[in-house]
Amino acid sequence: AVLPATWSRGNPIDIIGDAPVERYTVALQALLAEPAAGAVLFMHAPTAILASAAIATACAPLAAPARDRVMGCWLGDAAVAEARETFQHAGIADYATPEEAVRAALTSLGYRCAEVSIGLSAAATLPPEADTESRVRAALAVLRRGVVRKETPS
């Protein structure tokens, strides 16, 4: 077992402040491999035990293929600047605070739910062989109907 006996055993996963790079990478790999895990907020506060840049260098290649569900939050301004830059160069969204990351995740979730709702509603009105233009027009029609419903007084 890579995690120590004192790990959080829940969400959020706290791998404990004395974690070596391997603990970070194994925990990240396990989360990304878990189908039930949604968005992953990779949050790190610097310690004197291990350089943040070393953690970022090891974890960025693992997180990059899943950049649509991984967010970075490197706490500590100048102390984590190199780590933050490593994640950003890998295309991983970075936030200065956990609150900003959660706000972004919720906005993204709302957007995706709307996309699915509009797409499913539009798709239900079209035959499977419909071209892209027809699908876009149908989605816009569903969106317009939804806007009109919301603006119409009850």
Side-chain angles (χ1 to χ4, degrees), residues 141-153:
V142 168
L143 183 57
R144 280 190 210 100
R145 284 194 305 269
V147 170
V148 169
R149 281 192 206 115
K150 290 199 186 302
E151 291 177 353
T152 305

Side-chain angles (χ1 to χ4, degrees), residues 62-136:
L62 303 174
R67 67 178 53 95
D68 60 328
R69 57 187 275 241
V70 177
M71 299 169 288
C73 183
W74 296 88
L75 304 169
D77 289 330
V80 295
E82 187 179 344
R84 179 174 281 129
E85 188 176 304
T86 299
F87 261 43
Q88 288 171 345
H89 282 308
I92 302 161
D94 179 68
Y95 300 92
T97 67
E99 294 82 6
E100 287 178 12
V102 169
R103 205 171 307 126
L106 291 175
T107 300
S108 178
L109 177 62
Y111 177 79
R112 287 183 185 183
C113 287
E115 260 187 335
V116 168
S117 175
I118 291 168
L120 291 176
S121 298
T125 65
L126 294 170
E129 65 276 359
D131 65 356
T132 302
E133 184 177 343
S134 297
R135 292 184 182 285
V136 169

Side-chain angles (χ1 to χ4, degrees), residues 6-39:
T6 54
W7 80 283
S8 63
R9 290 183 168 53
N11 189 5
I13 296 171
D14 181 354
I15 63 172
I16 311 302
D18 69 346
V21 170
E22 179 192 18
R23 197 179 303 160
Y24 282 89
T25 59
V26 170
L28 182 58
Q29 287 171 325
L31 281 169
L32 295 176
E34 173 55 49

